[in-house]
Amino acid sequence: MEGMTAAAARKVLLAAPRGYCAGVDRAVIAVEKALEQYGAPVYVRHEIVHNKYVVQTLEKKGAIFVEETEEVPEGNIVIFSAHGVAPVVHEEAARGKLATIDATCPLVTKVHKEAVRFAKDDYDILLIGHEGHEEVIGTSGEAPDHITLVDGPGDVGNVTVRDESKVVWLSQTTLSVDETMETVDALKGRFPQLISPPSDDICYATQNRQIAVKQMGADADLVIVVGSKNSSNSVRLVEVALGAGARAAHLVDFADEIDEAWLEGVGTVGVTSGASVPEILVEGVLEWLAARGYGDVETITAAQESITFSLPKELRRDLRAEAAAAVSAEGDGARKA
Ligand code: 2E4
Ligand code: SF4
């Protein structure tokens, strides 16, 4: 009887939205289309998105991932990852006679443009973000003389500016919303005239996934976040789940990384995934849980998402040219018939 009660209490709360955002979808499709269009190999600078499975799958299709543009042999195509690159990287690619496809998420590009604009107006820019993260390196490269990195509230004490009346903060797109607000409050304490970005730098997808995991975190004994260790937004979901009251939260790339011991005494398991995570990996986790008695799944929906981005312009141009050639060949065929 006791056993039956415990089994009846087992359930899964599945967060929505979760997984792929519009920027990731666009970047992954860009690599696939480039492989179709130009044939393998296609070089990609940095992991196109921070997900092991995505990278392994694209490698099997003929993508070659490199860390630096100089590693790409002259005359080849290189795709820039969704996290964005500094202007100097475009220059390196031109010097190496490489054709480029820029898969930087448009919402990252928006932050780059803000940095350029504020630097032009000679502001000191306090960029809140994680030191060493690819996106931060790219954004900082837009205006290295004007940007100071602020890596969380603990870093605020070290910040110095030239003119306290001309200071703005910007941020990485994938930060914890709550922690960023803490950092901003601390910065405002030091620089009362600090101005905020014209619109949110933490993107819609990051925010929505955090809201959803917060909603279910309070009711979950265990939260499983599917995502890779180097995925900033996925790591943030683990932190947000714990902050919301989940008793435990773990990040896994694949279902087989889940430790059976985590389920001890657990009734409700929350499941979510980072913005770079394909749904097939979440399905694997749900199957793993169902096989252990957690087959009852309730979706917790925090927001609806409908945003999509068009493919990088270099690909759209070539795909249009290809479509036009196909139409014209068809026309020739029809005339001959
Ligand atoms: C570009 C910008 O930035 P993070 O480490 O979270 O990247 P990931 O590749 O995991 O997610 C997609 C992405 C790409 C997010 N923001
Ligand atoms: Fe773009 Fe946001 Fe997705 Fe990053 S998480 S790729 S900024 S939509």
Side-chain angles (χ1 to χ4, degrees):
M1 199 57 192
E2 216 183 310
M4 276 179 71
T5 317
R10 287 179 185 177
K11 70 182 288 192
V12 170
L13 300 178
L14 180 60
R18 63 180 176 280
Y20 269 23
C21 60
V24 166
D25 199 38
R26 169 185 190 260
V28 173
I29 294 175
V31 179
E32 289 168 349
K33 291 269 184 222
L35 284 163
E36 275 170 32
Q37 176 92 355
Y38 311 110
V42 162
Y43 290 82
V44 184
R45 185 188 178 281
H46 195 71
E47 293 188 352
I48 186 71
V49 296
H50 292 147
N51 186 265
K52 243 188 211 175
Y53 175 89
V54 170
V55 168
Q56 286 168 356
T57 307
L58 291 172
E59 273 174 344
K60 281 184 201 138
K61 292 182 180 176
I64 298 177
F65 291 88
V66 295
E67 273 314 304
E68 293 305 332
T69 314
E70 282 96 344
E71 296 170 52
V72 183
E74 204 175 288
N76 275 280
I77 298 168
V78 64
I79 303 179
F80 296 142
S81 82
H83 316 93
V85 294
V88 69
V89 175
H90 285 277
E91 291 158 21
E92 284 163 13
R95 270 201 304 279
K97 301 193 174 35
L98 305 176
T100 58
I101 296 173
D102 190 355
T104 304
C105 175
L107 299 181
V108 173
T109 303
K110 187 197 80 170
V111 182
H112 281 223
K113 286 184 176 155
E114 287 170 354
V116 170
R117 180 161 73 78
F118 283 109
K120 207 166 143 227
D121 292 342
D122 206 25
Y123 274 77
D124 275 343
I125 301 165
L126 307 181
L127 178 65
I128 304 174
H130 296 299
E131 191 166 9
H133 188 280
E134 198 60 21
E135 182 183 324
V136 160
I137 294 169
T139 308
S140 300
E142 290 287 357
D145 299 339
H146 287 81
I147 295 181
T148 303
L149 182 66
V150 184
D151 193 345
D155 215 7
V156 171
N158 307 322
V159 178
T160 54
V161 298
R162 292 170 304 158
D163 174 357
E164 291 198 5
S165 69
K166 274 191 108 171
V167 193
V168 61
W169 70 272
L170 300 178
S171 88
Q172 190 179 333
T173 57
T174 51
L175 300 182
S176 148
V177 174
D178 294 341
E179 192 189 274
T180 303
M181 287 310 124
E182 257 180 64
T183 309
V184 171
D185 287 346
L187 285 171
K188 281 191 174 152
R190 287 205 57 202
F191 311 113
Q193 297 177 73
L194 178 74
I195 64 167
S196 298
S199 64
D200 284 342
D201 286 347
I202 300 179
C203 80
Y204 81 95
T206 301
Q207 295 193 33
N208 286 344
R209 281 151 192 69
Q210 287 177 18
I211 295 168
V213 83
K214 246 186 203 180
Q215 276 183 21
M216 72 178 198
D219 298 323
D221 302 310
L222 163 72
V223 171
I224 296 174
V225 178
V226 188
S228 291
K229 306 281 179 285
N230 60 344
S231 167
S232 166
N233 77 88
S234 305
V235 174
R236 301 290 84 76
L237 291 175
V238 174
E239 295 167 357
V240 172
L242 291 170
R247 275 190 8 224
H250 299 281
L251 185 67
V252 297
D253 260 297
F254 303 101
D256 63 11
E257 289 174 11
I258 305 172
D259 186 339
E260 302 258 0
W262 297 347
L263 295 177
E264 240 166 83
V266 164
T268 303
V269 182
V271 175
T272 188
S273 56
S276 44
V277 179
E279 190 59 10
I280 190 171
L281 301 179
V282 174
E283 285 162 10
V285 166
L286 294 178
E287 279 163 24
W288 189 96
L289 288 168
R292 286 153 184 86
Y294 297 84
D296 173 15
V297 179
E298 183 191 342
T299 301
I300 304 292
T301 305
Q304 302 290 342
E305 292 180 346
S306 54
I307 183 164
T308 57
F309 295 130
S310 52
L311 284 175
K313 61 179 186 313
E314 306 86 349
L315 268 175
R316 272 185 281 140
R317 190 184 57 215
D318 283 1
L319 291 171
R320 260 203 310 272
E322 190 179 82
V327 168
S328 124
E330 222 173 73
D332 287 351
R335 272 194 293 281
K336 272 179 205 135

